[in-house]
Amino acid sequence: MNVRASISLVHSISSQAPTNNGTTSFKQVAWGKSGASALYRHSRASIAVISRSNLPHIDPLSKLRGKISKMKLSAGESQTKICADHREARAEVIADKHADTKVPVFDISGLEGAERKLISQQIADTSETWGIFQIVNHGIDPCLMQAAKDVSKEFFYLPDEEKMKIKVVGIEGWNHSKLAGFSGEGKLYKPGTVEHLYLVQSPDTQEHLERYPRNPPAYRTTILEYAKKLKVLHEKLITVLSEMLGLKPDALTLAITTPVGNVTMRTNFYAFNADGKGSPGVCHAHTDPGGLTILLADDVPGLEVNKDGRWVPVNPIPGAFIVNIGDVLEILSNGRYKSVEHRGLPSQTEERLTMASFYGGSHEVIIGPLPELLDEKHPPRYRTCSFGDYIADFVKAGLDGKNGLERMKL
């Protein structure tokens, strides 16, 4: 069966299995690419095999709103149990298949309780040393995350003629390295089969909404709901980073963006050519110019970060988000938080999808080290300019390591 013919209800879930010492561990079992693919759910009493063909087509929003039918599967469980099991998967997954993950991972469910100070300190420390981390138990439904990936892949699977209906204008819309002009993307990607869809999600004016695909039909409603949840998560994390600098909770948010907020999303799709023709494309090493990036990746690895001169792979964890500091936060914090250099590599054997949500900044805001963080022992390390001027210089230079920040240093 062609994998494009039937996007799975759940691409990967966390299955519970007893270990030798009787404790519980979590194992990810991903769908294969043939009709014989099966999901194995392990329990102490039995092993149930659920054929992929037994799963009916489910509209992404039906999954999101809990309107999944109660049809019993061969294991005697309802479909809703699949998402429930996924939500139960906590940070223990890190200790299993992903034990080699070196980028720090945090369970942030405790941010609303007694663990807030400890977790906040860990996030701040990692933002100063790594500039990147993964988060689990972040409050966003894994079914919504999967629905966002599903409708995105459905869009990229459409014929080019359909995608051309929202061909890039300025920065918004669909773009592909094979298109004439490609908006200077040669500086961003090595030519190949990579394509992307760039959307403005906040402010959600009609002008920006017109750039959203109308096909697949569920795309707009699914992605808008996903974006709304992500904006809340962005601001929760930025509040933590602000407090850990000794600032008011909303200080960084106010410094980065306007009251309506500024959130954009770039979905990258690295197609796989079974005939071996053409390069799948490579994203040059770069930093992100904005404030904070939250990345949702599929199960295919490809992201690498530069840690102390060595490229370190970031292994995706089921149900997790990858979070990285952008240039604006490094500048505002006067270098306390580090904008991480990273690059995107394709798989040689599988297609790959990533969905990057960027928070801030608004073009009219002035960026520079915050005065509250400066004194005789901590003079400003960066100059001040509008974010609009900074991004114009960034785009002109293309993805160029950390040179955008270097040009801002005093």
Side-chain angles (χ1 to χ4, degrees), residues 22 28 71 96 103 111 142 171 188 243 304 314 332 391 395:
Q28 179 202 26
M71 184 194 79
D96 188 26
V103 172
L111 277 179
I171 62 171
L188 308 184
E243 291 174 344
E304 294 185 341
V314 183
L332 292 173
I391 197 67
V395 171

Side-chain angles (χ1 to χ4, degrees), residues 10-15 27-31 38-42 97 318:
V10 181
H11 185 63
S12 61
I13 70 169
S14 296
S15 298
K27 294 184 178 181
Q28 179 202 26
V29 181
W31 292 111
L39 171 69
Y40 291 85
R41 174 174 170 76
H42 300 267
K97 180 178 178 180

Side-chain angles (χ1 to χ4, degrees), residues 281-344:
V282 175
C283 180
H284 294 306
H286 66 286
T287 58
D288 292 338
L292 195 70
T293 301
I294 297 179
L295 181 77
L296 175 60
D298 59 18
D299 300 322
V300 181
L303 176 64
E304 294 185 341
V305 299
N306 189 340
K307 179 69 167 89
D308 301 326
R310 183 170 64 92
W311 287 105
V312 178
V314 183
N315 299 319
I317 294 174
F321 283 112
I322 300 167
V323 182
N324 68 268
I325 303 297
D327 293 352
V328 169
L329 276 184
E330 177 167 331
I331 293 168
L332 292 173
S333 68
N334 201 33
R336 283 272 298 275
Y337 297 141
K338 300 296 189 295
S339 182
V340 65
E341 183 181 13
H342 55 282
R343 64 186 182 187

